Structures are given as structure tokens and as C-alpha cells.
Amino acid sequence: MTTAGGRGPQMWDERYGAAERVWSSGPNREVERIVAGWVPGRALDLGAGEGRHALWLAEKGWQVMAVDFTTWHPPEGTAFDLVLVAYLHIPEDVFSRLGRWLAPGGDLVVVGHALRNLTEGVGGPQDPALLHTTEQLRAAAQDLDVERCEEVLRSTDAGDAIDVVLVARRPAG
């Protein structure tokens, strides 16, 4: 099994096994701003890594399924009130499948590195194929009601990173 950019499970196991914690223990600030006031339901944290978002969501009362790689598919008949994709570097075609995993009225939340970060921001992947624009995410969410799709600045010790944020809802009807 290989993820986008040729990085397979062994590479990620080695990365996460080399330190007690690679990322912060709390949620990403943008994820927290978006989801904090929502009514808990069933959530999927896709590309969970160390599980910081899954743990935070569970503490907020969500029933969370945390999954690490993109070849996974939910069990037949499973639908989520929230599908969260935070800094998971996956090809654009994978995003188009995520809306089908949402329950009616469910939300897709994507927070990741913007393509523009490659030339104007700091950090993040250096492979343009793993970075997204607002136009790409909006197109991938074409069957959903897009509530927010924009670039945001994220301050880091090395300077400002440019992220892209998508919040889209599956129509209730």
C-alpha cells in the first residue's frame, strides 16, 4: 500500500516511531475553529497520523473512526456526519469520493497546504501534485454545498504557511 508521493506505511511508521510526538497534541487551530461548536455525531478522521484530531473530537463527544491510508473504504452502509481531512496529502481524485461517505447534512472539512505555499509560504510538501488550490477543492466538492473555500495564513516559527480550507455540506434532501 502506498500513499501519494510514494510514501508507504513503513515510512510513516518509522517517522512516528522515532519520536514520542511528531505533531502537537491538540487539534490544528483552524480545525478547532471550524468544528468546535458543532453538535457531535459520527466522524471520520482520514489520515489520522498520531490521532490528535480523533482524540480531540472524541473528547468533544464525537464517535470517531480514525483511518491512516487512502485505500480504505468505509463499511457498506456507513455514513459520517463529519469527514475530516487535515494535512493529508492525497491526489485530487480521492477528494471527489469523500462526499459519498457523508450522511445527508454531513460536512466535509479539509485543511491542508495550498499550492501557493510552495513558492510563497514555508514548510509543507514540496511536490506540487500533493498541494491544492481553492479551485481544485471546489471542483472536487461539486456535489456538495460549499460553505467555505479559501486560503488562510498559518503563523509558524519559520514564517507564514499558506493553507487551503474547504468546508462543504452534503445536501440534507
Side-chain angles (χ1 to χ4, degrees), residues 4 8 23 27 29-30 35 47 49 59 77 88-89 93 115 146 153 160 165 169:
W23 311 110
R29 284 179 290 201
E30 196 64 31
V35 179
E59 289 171 0
L88 176 62
H89 312 297
D93 66 319
L115 178 61
V146 175
L153 293 181
D160 286 340
V165 174
R169 177 166 290 143

Side-chain angles (χ1 to χ4, degrees), residues 3-5 70 88-97 129-130 132:
T3 60
T70 60
L88 176 62
H89 312 297
I90 54 179
E92 188 176 336
D93 66 319
V94 174
F95 283 109
S96 63
R97 288 187 261 154
L130 302 178
H132 302 283

Side-chain angles (χ1 to χ4, degrees), residues 90-137:
I90 54 179
E92 188 176 336
D93 66 319
V94 174
F95 283 109
S96 63
R97 288 187 261 154
L98 302 181
R100 294 186 300 227
W101 300 350
L102 291 170
D107 293 285
L108 170 62
V109 174
V110 178
V111 178
H113 301 286
L115 178 61
R116 200 164 62 91
N117 191 65
L118 190 61
T119 56
E120 300 175 41
V122 297
Q126 299 301 297
D127 181 352
L130 302 178
L131 305 173
H132 302 283
T133 65
T134 55
E135 292 80 11
Q136 288 171 320
L137 290 182

Side-chain angles (χ1 to χ4, degrees), residues 103-106 145 169-173:
D145 295 331
R169 177 166 290 143
R170 181 173 175 190

